[in-house]
Amino acid sequence: MVLNKIGHLARTSFGKTLTHVPQTVVAGTQSSYTSAGTPFAFNSHAAGKFGKPGHAHLHTSFQNPSSPASAKSKAAPGSSNGEEKDGGLTAYYDAWQKQHQPGAEEKEWKQFQFTKRIGWKAPTAAVLAGRAKEIEELGLRSETRLDQGALNRALTESAVQDLKCSGNEAEALARVNEAIAAEIIHIKEDAALGDAKAEGITAPSAPDEVASANSQKASAVDAQSPARSTTSITTPEHSTFSSLIGDGTAATSQDGLERDAYSEQVARLSDEKRFAEIPPVFEAMLANGIPPTIKAYNGLLSAVVHLPIAPHQVVPRALSVYTDLLRRKVVPDTTFYAGLIRLLSTHALNTLALKQALDQQRIRYGDKEGRFLFASQGTEYDIAQEDDSLVNAIRIFDSSIHTDLDRTYSSEMYSSLIEACARYGKVDEMIRIVSHMDTRGVAPYAAIYPHMIDAFAAQGDLASVVECYNGYKALAILDNYGKPAIKERNDRDVYAAVVRAYSSCNRQEHGQNFYNKIRSTYEDSVDSHQELRDALRDSISVDAVVPGHIKQGDFAQAMRVINEEQLTTRARDQALLRICVAAADGVTALSADKMDNRDSIDIAVKAFDSIDATSTSKFAAAVPMLALHVRKGEVAQAQQVWSLLVNAPQLDSSFAEATAHYATALIDHGFLDDALVQSRKSFTSVRSTAVATNKVHEAVEKIDEAIEHIGSYMARRGVIPSPQASMSFLRAMIENRGLVSPITEQLIAGLGPQDVLSLSLDDLYLALQVESDILSQGNAALDVAHVERFAHLLDTVVVTGTPPPKNISEIVDRAARKVSSHRPELATRWQNYQNSFAKPVYAPVAYPPQPITHVVPPTFADSYDPYAATTDFRGSNIIAEELDSFRTDSATALNNALIRFRNMRRAGRHPRYITYSKLITAAAKEGRTNLIHDILGMARDDLPFLAGNSMVRHGWSSILDAVVGACLTLGNRDLAARFHEELLEIGSAPTANTFGLYITTLKDSTRTFDEASEAVKIFQRAFSEGVEPSSFLYNALIGKLGKARRIDDCMFYFSEMRARGIRPTSVTYGTIVNACCRVSDQVFAEQLFDEMESMPNYKPRPAPYNSLMQFFLTTKRDSAKVLGYYERMRSLNIEPTMHTYKLLIDTYATLEPINLTAAEGVLETIRTSGQKPEAIHYASLIHAKGCTLHDMNGARRTFDEVLAKGEIRPQACLYQALFESMVANHTVADTEPLLQSMAANGVAMTPYIANTLIHGWATENNIGKSKAIYELVGMQKREPSTYEAMTRAYLTAENREGAVSVVNEMKGRGYPAAVSNKVQDLLGAGMA
């Protein structure tokens, strides 16, 4: 396991040591010497160069293979051998010094020659193909967005430094700028001349053929050459992909054919989005000495943008491509400029968003000095402050339009650049770009106008705001007449921007007049609908009026606006969220107690309480409210908000900071254990969300810092958590990435001898494992008691008498050897302990028993209990009554019983044997495994087993029987088997009910099984061990046989049950009736049902009625019978279950005569009974409308309404019903967006949804889609129906081989023959 030694501090300090190259230099002024010595390596990530420093590691036994962060350490750059270091940079610097001595005469610029590499050989075509495959395996970039993970603490594109150039450096840069400007003019002239010469070249042959021929003579760089910069480019001698951007070689006329062929191939790969194949082709092109064309550079730029490199590397590498293009005197075209400018402007916008988010985090969680809660956030903020992507974008844009006065860009490029200028406040540049767009006649996107209006308003320029609005209005009028004057028109946002501009300039009355005028226009319009008017009101109120009052600090007026305007529920929640966030974050740590902030606090609380509890805005508002209560020291209120947040469906990585903030507050108020337990719960939720959103690395980094912050805070406060809380926090580290030092040592050091004895078995193993790793790594300097603690832990483990887990044996061995000089007996003790559980290497020969004379000790009467004198009978009865009580929930009852139990033991007394059994059973129901072991251990201490005493033997039989049942309940059959053997050793056996648990828990214990056959084996084993069967055991057996459709066996054991005098219960009859329904035996099912009702001990239960209702619904399709059994059920005052109501809805909506009104009325019946309809009821309605009535619109409307209300969380049954409706209406192609929605809502693919989609795509003759859906269901989750659906799909596509493979897989799962034969019969007699 990785031991993180204050990882974020290491990352911060390391980042500051990097040499920074300003992007302003790289973008347009970088001369050719900078690109001639640095590689452009697509395969090498920044982690290789700017990776984390090596962490101190605990032993690999702590590696968490399931952890999202358990990745290999990234290699350090270059080589550790000093002889391999390149002295070229030093030589270059000396040469530069000579050329720039004071007073030296200016000379013509020359390329500095770096040290040449020797021994370079060209790669073969196979090598190039291998590189393409390697890049392809990494996947394609879906976006170039820079979020918080983009400016990673360990992977920054620039260090945190003060980059103030001296006067001499500034002059040097100015001279380079002038040289580049002059060079661009010469480039264009040379290109024009080259084009004229190339007119006579014939058309090339197929690019693939040319590339294939050239690949035999291609030459490339050594793949092991180290990268030297992330923003510049090297020659072929220096880099893995340096041949992508290397030394230019003049092309001959014979090379023209190959050059065009390569360029066409790169362009085709880019058009087909096969970006991973572009770098090898470009590499081969340069290796052959063929100069690249602008078309090839366009493809390379697209590869840079889309290949899966670290996000922060995209911009520097794109600028490297641009710099190399200029160095080779290739004239950029509009496509190249557009892609580069849009990338830079988008990067600038994302960086601005990151800075704003960090500012909010500093206000919310920062200290009184204005520092961030996490040190890495300060680093990220300083790095974001350095970003000059927008400056580069504007500079490149100006250069592009000056070199080609007729150059015209797309609306998208203009929109991105204008938005960036507006949001950065660069109004002059924005106006210039808008003017250029207007002169070129390019239709703008409507989205730029709100940003432009905001930019003018920020400068107080209302005249320009009005002029901008009038310009938009003129374009909108043209759009009304059908002229393409504007794209994606959005009037409401523009109106809101104008009102917002008036408000920011303190002209609220003008803004109100403007709003009234627009609103009256909407009301007077004949075509205007109420929805449009509501949308206008919502947009202006939420995006303009309320933010205006918030900006002025008038939260009360903002609340009045919300109350006066009849906003829709969603808009109201959004407006309240804005107020809540602003008011809560406005009360900083410095001003929390000031009187002028009391109103803000009250407003924040009021706004938070007013947000709809089911809205997502509620969770968003809860985060600042939690921080507010923490800053004010209101722990009780913070705990209430926390309980809402920690149960939210999704928690992103930013919640790790809120967790650390909340945990420190709990620690301050004495809730240390709760702080650690709640932190672990929060971190688990954050990681789960990160896995779903593919942001695992970012989440792990944040959680790591939160753990370090909490641990260091505990150290500063000098507090020590309880042993259980310490173990929980250690597990939180393990689940994330690994144990963090010195927090690990701090927690282990807090374990005293008594604390070790209070640990559960699992925690004891963990403590021993951690202590062993600390010793084996030699990290015991923090606590001189490590050796003694290790010895005590080892002794405690040995005393338990349980075999040690395999994963700790090796590390404990190593630690024992490490301390052998101080405690040599520990290694021997541990080795003997392990050997006691080793299996013998040979089977001993069995000899006939020889008569041995035994000294028989005196025996006591069978009724004598040696522990009766210390037994608290009255207390035992109270504990039993507490556990059996229905007045409280089971968890509370168990806790109360445990309190009495511990008080009893403190007084030197102990309960009865049966009381231990009841406590163990209750703990199993609550899933508390550790508590079961604790109670068993206390029973062994209080009531040691005496083989010669029948009372003790009988008592221990009940205790061990309860332990076996508890293990089965918790799904640990191996442990149950061990205690079962212990029962047999003392001459006893589990009870019949425990054997029944063996049967009922079968499905949870095996992956492939024939449950019915296994159940029969268990039943027969019970007889072989002398167990008297019970009704529960028979019911469990008959239930498994019924599910396997073995009706004859069901009736055999039912008859045997009667013959033994065991009276069948209502559960027995219900199980038999259900089995008869499965095999469509209506007559026998009804006979048994009538017999059941006539039994004197009959206890009415809904299950048998539901079975018959479902039988007549799905098999017989007889609505009269279904409703008849429902009325029969109601006549006996049996309360319908939710399944009963579902059957009623299906009956009304799918059986003749169809009565959809009655089906919908069932929902009201549920509500009148004091319950709420569930997802299965709405799913029945959706299925009925879509599949029975073929009303696809109605089915979709019901589905959307259910999700929109928010009362029902998205569930698989809802999606399944809609998918079935789509397949029935031949619209299976529309299911793909729904699959994405399902994944976004966290709904997992089920076998039944897969069955529907497999069938649907098969009917569309798209077996590929069917196969893809089939693969989405893991093999362990596939049902027999899934195999049947896929087999039918293959047979429909006449793919018998595929069908045979599916059937063979199913046969290997061990299903009952009655189940597997049904699918196998689809293949006919030809099945192998």
Side-chain angles (χ1 to χ4, degrees):
M1 170 168 296
V2 178
L3 182 63
N4 249 343
K5 284 190 176 290
I6 310 302
H8 70 287
L9 296 180
R11 291 188 292 271
T12 303
S13 61
F14 186 74
K16 293 186 178 182
T17 64
L18 305 179
T19 301
H20 175 72
V21 180
Q23 290 184 12
T24 52
V25 180
V26 176
T29 64
Q30 187 172 8
S31 57
S32 58
Y33 61 73
T34 57
S35 63
T38 315
F40 188 85
F42 282 88
N43 280 352
S44 60
H45 294 270
K49 184 173 179 64
F50 303 131
K52 293 183 183 177
H55 300 297
H57 293 272
L58 284 180
H59 190 261
T60 53
S61 63
F62 278 97
Q63 284 284 18
N64 183 3
S66 63
S67 171
S70 58
K72 292 183 179 180
S73 301
K74 298 175 176 60
S79 173
S80 60
N81 189 349
E83 296 178 359
E84 294 181 6
K85 293 182 180 178
D86 186 7
L89 291 179
T90 303
Y92 167 75
Y93 182 75
D94 294 337
W96 187 89
Q97 291 276 26
K98 294 178 182 178
Q99 292 292 331
H100 293 80
Q101 293 178 355
E105 182 180 353
E106 288 289 333
K107 296 182 180 181
E108 183 179 354
W109 178 87
K110 294 182 179 180
Q111 164 71 50
F112 179 81
Q113 296 298 323
F114 285 92
T115 304
K116 297 295 183 180
R117 299 287 192 266
I118 61 175
W120 172 81
K121 295 182 179 181
T124 63
V127 173
L128 294 177
R131 292 178 184 170
K133 183 178 180 181
E134 180 182 353
I135 298 175
E136 182 68 31
E137 289 173 351
L138 295 174
L140 298 182
R141 291 177 51 82
S142 59
E143 54 179 291
T144 59
R145 174 177 174 80
L146 173 66
D147 53 13
Q148 278 195 327
L151 288 176
N152 190 282
R153 292 183 295 278
L155 303 173
T156 58
E157 73 178 4
S158 61
V160 185
Q161 296 181 358
D162 295 327
L163 301 171
K164 298 180 180 179
C165 297
S166 64
N168 292 335
E169 290 172 335
E171 293 175 4
L173 294 179
R175 286 195 296 270
V176 175
N177 284 336
E178 294 173 2
I180 290 295
E183 187 179 13
I184 292 174
I185 298 175
H186 293 301
I187 288 173
K188 192 168 184 180
E189 293 175 354
D190 293 343
L193 181 60
D195 292 341
K197 292 180 179 180
E199 288 179 356
I201 297 177
T202 59
S205 58
D208 290 334
E209 297 175 2
V210 177
S212 176
N214 290 332
S215 65
Q216 301 300 323
K217 62 176 183 177
S219 60
V221 292
D222 184 0
Q224 302 301 322
S225 299
R228 299 200 180 274
S229 173
T230 58
T231 58
S232 56
I233 308 157
T234 62
T235 59
E237 295 101 340
H238 294 81
S239 170
T240 303
F241 279 93
S242 60
S243 54
L244 296 176
I245 301 178
D247 293 336
T249 304
T252 64
S253 59
Q254 188 175 1
D255 293 332
L257 178 64
E258 296 180 356
R259 179 187 62 184
D260 293 343
Y262 273 117
S263 300
E264 290 297 332
Q265 185 176 4
V266 171
R268 176 170 54 81
L269 292 174
S270 178
D271 293 339
E272 296 174 358
K273 301 187 184 304
R274 294 158 59 186
F275 302 109
E277 300 178 32
I278 293 176
V281 175
F282 200 95
E283 182 179 6
M285 184 179 186
L286 294 181
N288 289 333
I290 301 173
T293 64
I294 185 57
K295 186 178 292 187
Y297 273 111
N298 285 336
L300 184 61
L301 181 63
S302 65
V304 171
V305 173
H306 291 92
L307 280 177
I309 57 178
H312 69 279
Q313 288 187 330
V314 176
V315 169
R317 293 196 176 185
L319 292 175
S320 298
V321 175
Y322 176 56
T323 305
D324 188 80
L325 175 145
L326 295 180
R327 184 176 66 83
R328 295 180 186 280
K329 298 184 179 181
V330 178
V331 180
D333 62 1
T334 301
T335 302
F336 185 90
Y337 275 128
L340 183 58
I341 294 171
R342 190 173 182 188
L343 172 64
L344 292 172
S345 56
T346 302
H347 179 84
L349 289 170
N350 293 335
T351 304
L352 179 62
L354 174 62
K355 289 193 292 185
Q356 292 172 346
L358 289 174
D359 279 328
Q360 186 181 59
Q361 297 292 83
R362 176 161 52 187
I363 292 172
R364 186 172 294 169
Y365 305 115
D367 59 13
K368 295 182 179 181
E369 286 75 25
R371 291 174 299 201
F372 288 97
L373 184 68
F374 294 163
S376 66
Q377 293 176 325
T379 303
E380 291 179 7
Y381 189 82
D382 292 338
I383 293 169
Q385 289 286 81
E386 298 174 8
D387 182 73
D388 52 4
S389 300
L390 181 58
V391 175
N392 289 335
I394 296 172
R395 181 176 300 172
I396 294 172
F397 174 81
D398 292 340
S399 174
S400 69
I401 61 176
H402 290 155
T403 56
D404 186 352
L405 299 179
D406 296 328
R407 193 181 305 278
T408 302
Y409 290 109
S410 65
S411 301
E412 290 81 3
M413 200 287 295
Y414 282 118
S415 175
S416 178
L417 188 55
I418 291 169
E419 180 184 351
C421 290
R423 296 188 62 183
Y424 273 85
K426 295 182 177 295
V427 176
D428 294 339
E429 291 84 349
M430 177 188 74
I431 294 174
R432 188 172 73 251
I433 297 168
V434 171
S435 176
H436 186 271
M437 178 181 65
D438 186 54
T439 57
R440 294 296 180 271
V442 177
Y445 277 94
I448 67 173
Y449 283 90
H451 299 296
M452 293 168 59
I453 292 172
D454 289 340
F456 289 129
Q459 294 188 342
D461 188 358
L462 277 178
S464 296
V465 169
V466 174
E467 182 180 354
C468 184
Y469 170 72
N470 289 334
Y472 175 82
K473 183 170 68 174
L475 296 177
I477 292 173
L478 293 175
D479 183 71
N480 289 340
Y481 289 101
K483 297 181 179 180
I486 194 167
K487 294 185 177 182
E488 297 182 6
R489 180 174 169 184
N490 191 346
D491 296 349
R492 291 192 297 273
D493 287 351
V494 177
Y495 296 150
V498 173
V499 175
R500 191 165 56 244
Y502 279 119
S503 177
S504 65
C505 295
N506 294 321
R507 299 290 183 86
Q508 287 84 355
E509 66 281 0
H510 292 81
Q512 186 63 40
N513 293 336
F514 175 80
Y515 173 40
N516 293 335
K517 182 178 179 181
I518 297 298
R519 182 164 56 183
S520 63
T521 303
Y522 269 66
E523 292 174 352
D524 296 340
S525 175
V526 177
D527 298 331
S528 178
H529 300 287
Q530 183 63 38
E531 291 82 359
L532 296 178
R533 293 194 290 272
D534 291 345
L536 174 67
R537 179 195 61 225
D538 292 348
S539 178
I540 293 181
S541 298
V542 175
D543 297 333
V545 179
V546 170
H549 293 305
I550 291 175
K551 186 176 182 180
Q552 296 173 358
D554 192 353
F555 300 124
Q557 181 59 32
M559 288 292 291
R560 282 193 288 273
V561 170
I562 295 176
N563 295 328
E564 292 172 0
E565 295 285 349
Q566 297 179 353
L567 302 178
T568 60
T569 302
R570 182 178 180 183
R572 176 183 173 83
D573 288 343
Q574 291 175 347
L576 289 170
L577 172 62
R578 287 175 180 264
I579 296 173
C580 181
V581 171
D585 288 343
V587 183
T588 62
L590 284 174
S591 61
D593 296 327
K594 292 183 179 180
M595 292 301 297
D596 55 355
N597 280 307
R598 295 299 177 186
D599 292 340
S600 296
I601 295 172
D602 295 339
I603 289 291
V605 173
K606 183 178 179 181
F608 178 71
D609 293 339
S610 301
I611 299 177
D612 182 21
T614 62
S615 171
T616 55
S617 299
K618 189 74 170 181
F619 297 108
V623 176
M625 288 303 298
L626 176 67
L628 172 63
H629 291 310
V630 169
R631 292 195 301 269
K632 291 180 62 185
E634 299 173 344
V635 176
Q637 291 86 337
Q639 287 174 329
Q640 294 177 0
V641 179
W642 175 265
S643 63
L644 171 68
L645 271 173
V646 80
N647 294 315
Q650 288 189 332
L651 295 174
D652 59 23
S653 59
S654 64
F655 193 67
E657 193 172 4
T659 302
H661 196 223
Y662 174 68
T664 55
L666 291 179
I667 294 171
D668 284 337
H669 288 78
F671 301 104
L672 175 58
D673 290 358
D674 191 37
L676 300 186
V677 172
Q678 293 298 324
S679 297
R680 181 186 177 191
K681 183 178 180 181
S682 167
F683 296 153
T684 301
S685 299
V686 170
R687 274 193 305 274
S688 299
T689 302
V691 171
T693 57
N694 199 22
K695 294 183 178 180
V696 176
H697 179 73
E698 178 185 351
V700 168
E701 290 284 342
K702 289 289 186 183
I703 293 172
D704 242 7
E705 281 205 274
I707 290 174
E708 293 163 5
H709 179 82
I710 296 170
S712 61
Y713 192 80
M714 287 192 298
R716 290 196 301 271
R717 293 295 304 273
V719 294
I720 299 176
S722 69
Q724 289 73 23
S726 296
M727 294 299 103
S728 177
F729 204 53
L730 287 173
R731 293 186 189 281
M733 301 181 206
I734 294 171
E735 292 162 355
N736 190 57
R737 174 168 36 202
L739 296 177
V740 180
S741 178
I743 301 170
T744 302
E745 289 87 344
Q746 172 189 340
L747 294 174
I748 288 295
L751 295 178
Q754 294 301 321
D755 296 328
V756 170
L757 294 176
S758 67
L759 293 176
S760 66
L761 191 61
D762 290 341
D763 287 344
L764 186 62
Y765 284 139
L766 175 61
L768 177 61
Q769 190 177 5
V770 173
E771 187 64 76
S772 301
D773 243 336
I774 293 174
L775 287 172
S776 62
Q777 295 287 336
N779 297 329
L782 296 178
D783 184 6
V784 295
H786 272 290
V787 175
E788 295 302 322
R789 186 181 302 106
F790 171 73
H792 181 56
L793 286 167
L794 189 146
D795 289 340
T796 307
V797 168
V798 170
V799 168
T800 61
T802 56
K806 295 180 180 179
N807 61 324
I808 77 167
S809 297
E810 181 182 351
I811 185 63
V812 176
D813 282 337
R814 192 160 59 246
R817 291 194 300 269
K818 189 75 175 281
V819 301
S820 59
S821 59
H822 299 86
R823 299 288 298 272
E825 77 280 3
L826 294 180
T828 304
R829 190 179 307 164
W830 177 252
Q831 193 63 39
N832 293 337
Y833 173 62
Q834 287 184 291
N835 292 339
S836 65
F837 299 102
K839 295 181 179 179
V841 295
Y842 65 92
V845 178
Y847 294 98
Q850 300 295 325
I852 301 176
T853 303
H854 291 282
V855 178
V856 181
T859 58
F860 299 94
D862 290 342
S863 61
Y864 174 72
D865 183 1
Y867 305 117
T870 55
T871 302
D872 187 345
F873 292 96
R874 182 174 178 275
S876 300
N877 293 335
I878 294 175
I879 292 175
E881 290 175 0
E882 188 73 46
L883 293 174
D884 295 336
S885 174
F886 294 98
R887 295 189 300 272
T888 57
D889 61 277
S890 58
T892 304
L894 176 59
N895 291 332
N896 294 338
L898 288 173
I899 293 173
R900 293 185 180 275
F901 174 56
R902 292 190 177 106
N903 290 338
M904 183 188 301
R905 296 186 76 247
R906 289 191 189 100
R909 311 275 284 177
H910 59 78
R912 299 166 58 197
Y913 301 97
I914 191 63
T915 307
Y916 285 101
S917 303
K918 288 180 175 291
L919 285 170
I920 290 170
T921 303
K925 290 180 180 178
E926 296 301 317
R928 299 173 64 174
T929 306
N930 295 337
L931 180 58
I932 295 171
H933 290 287
D934 292 344
I935 296 172
L936 178 61
M938 287 184 278
R940 294 187 191 275
D941 292 338
D942 299 339
L943 307 167
F945 179 72
L946 300 175
N949 188 281
S950 60
M951 286 292 291
V952 176
R953 187 168 58 252
H954 177 75
W956 268 101
S957 296
S958 66
I959 294 175
L960 292 176
D961 179 71
V963 175
V964 173
C967 294
L968 292 172
T969 302
L970 296 173
N972 194 339
R973 297 180 79 85
D974 293 335
L975 193 58
R978 204 174 79 200
F979 286 111
H980 191 147
E981 290 299 322
E982 187 175 349
L983 260 176
L984 297 178
E985 289 172 2
I986 68 173
S988 184
T991 62
N993 287 351
T994 302
F995 276 105
L997 277 177
Y998 268 113
I999 294 175
T1000 57
T1001 57
L1002 268 176
K1003 188 166 186 178
D1004 297 330
S1005 63
T1006 52
R1007 290 180 287 180
T1008 59
F1009 47 86
D1010 180 351
E1011 291 183 44
S1013 299
E1014 289 294 326
V1016 172
K1017 291 178 183 178
I1018 293 170
F1019 185 81
Q1020 292 172 349
R1021 180 182 179 183
F1023 270 93
S1024 68
E1025 294 182 5
V1027 176
E1028 186 68 26
S1030 64
S1031 60
F1032 178 74
L1033 178 57
Y1034 273 110
N1035 292 344
L1037 175 62
I1038 293 171
K1040 292 297 182 183
L1041 293 171
K1043 287 183 179 179
R1045 296 177 173 84
R1046 292 168 57 172
I1047 189 63
D1048 294 337
D1049 291 333
C1050 286
M1051 298 313 302
F1052 170 79
Y1053 287 106
F1054 183 64
S1055 301
E1056 181 183 288
M1057 180 182 182
R1058 285 175 160 176
R1060 288 181 175 272
I1062 301 174
R1063 182 175 295 177
T1065 64
S1066 56
V1067 176
T1068 311
Y1069 280 107
T1071 305
I1072 288 289
V1073 168
N1074 189 38
C1076 293
C1077 292
R1078 285 177 178 268
V1079 295
S1080 302
D1081 192 341
Q1082 176 184 347
V1083 176
F1084 198 45
E1086 291 187 307
Q1087 288 178 356
L1088 286 172
F1089 189 86
D1090 294 338
E1091 180 182 328
M1092 175 191 70
E1093 288 189 326
S1094 64
M1095 292 292 291
N1097 65 333
Y1098 171 61
K1099 182 180 179 180
R1101 294 175 61 256
Y1105 295 90
N1106 289 343
S1107 296
L1108 281 174
M1109 289 174 65
Q1110 184 165 353
F1111 171 69
F1112 286 109
L1113 169 66
T1114 59
T1115 304
K1116 297 299 182 180
R1117 311 290 294 170
D1118 189 343
S1119 61
K1121 282 281 191 179
V1122 177
L1123 298 176
Y1125 277 102
Y1126 175 71
E1127 294 301 329
R1128 198 165 166 177
M1129 175 183 183
R1130 297 297 290 151
S1131 65
L1132 295 174
N1133 295 323
I1134 301 175
E1135 285 296 326
T1137 64
M1138 286 300 176
H1139 183 58
T1140 309
Y1141 289 122
K1142 177 192 180 300
L1143 296 175
L1144 275 181
I1145 294 174
D1146 288 339
T1147 301
Y1148 286 126
T1150 62
L1151 299 184
E1152 295 293 340
I1154 294 175
N1155 189 345
L1156 194 59
T1157 303
E1160 293 175 339
V1162 175
L1163 300 179
E1164 190 60 33
T1165 302
I1166 298 174
R1167 295 188 183 97
T1168 56
S1169 67
Q1171 305 175 83
K1172 291 183 179 180
E1174 296 180 351
I1176 55 173
H1177 304 123
Y1178 292 106
S1180 294
L1181 283 177
I1182 295 170
H1183 182 274
K1185 291 180 180 180
C1187 298
T1188 305
L1189 302 179
H1190 293 284
D1191 180 9
M1192 192 60 228
N1193 293 331
R1196 186 57 187 264
R1197 184 166 54 253
T1198 302
F1199 177 84
D1200 292 338
E1201 289 174 354
V1202 171
L1203 295 187
K1205 288 180 180 178
E1207 297 177 357
I1208 304 294
R1209 65 178 179 83
Q1211 295 183 32
C1213 60
L1214 293 171
Y1215 284 98
Q1216 179 183 343
L1218 190 59
F1219 285 140
E1220 290 171 349
S1221 301
M1222 289 179 167
V1223 171
N1225 288 276
H1226 308 291
T1227 58
V1228 68
D1230 298 335
T1231 59
E1232 294 189 326
L1234 268 180
L1235 279 174
Q1236 298 174 1
S1237 167
M1238 191 170 77
N1241 288 325
V1243 180
M1245 173 68 71
T1246 68
Y1248 308 107
I1249 293 177
N1251 298 346
T1252 301
L1253 295 178
I1254 289 170
H1255 169 69
W1257 286 115
T1259 57
E1260 297 289 330
N1261 296 323
N1262 194 336
I1263 192 64
K1265 291 283 188 180
S1266 296
K1267 179 64 174 176
I1269 296 295
Y1270 177 76
E1271 294 295 339
L1272 286 178
V1273 184
M1275 190 177 75
Q1276 304 304 331
K1277 292 185 178 180
R1278 290 171 189 163
E1279 298 275 349
S1281 58
T1282 312
Y1283 291 110
E1284 180 179 353
M1286 195 64 224
T1287 301
R1288 292 184 183 275
Y1290 273 128
L1291 294 176
T1292 301
E1294 298 182 356
N1295 185 347
R1296 184 174 179 81
E1297 291 77 9
V1300 170
S1301 66
V1302 172
V1303 172
N1304 287 336
E1305 179 185 321
M1306 181 183 179
K1307 290 171 64 179
R1309 297 289 302 277
Y1311 289 109
V1315 176
S1316 58
N1317 288 343
K1318 180 181 178 183
V1319 180
Q1320 185 173 337
D1321 290 344
L1322 296 175
L1323 296 176
M1327 176 61 191

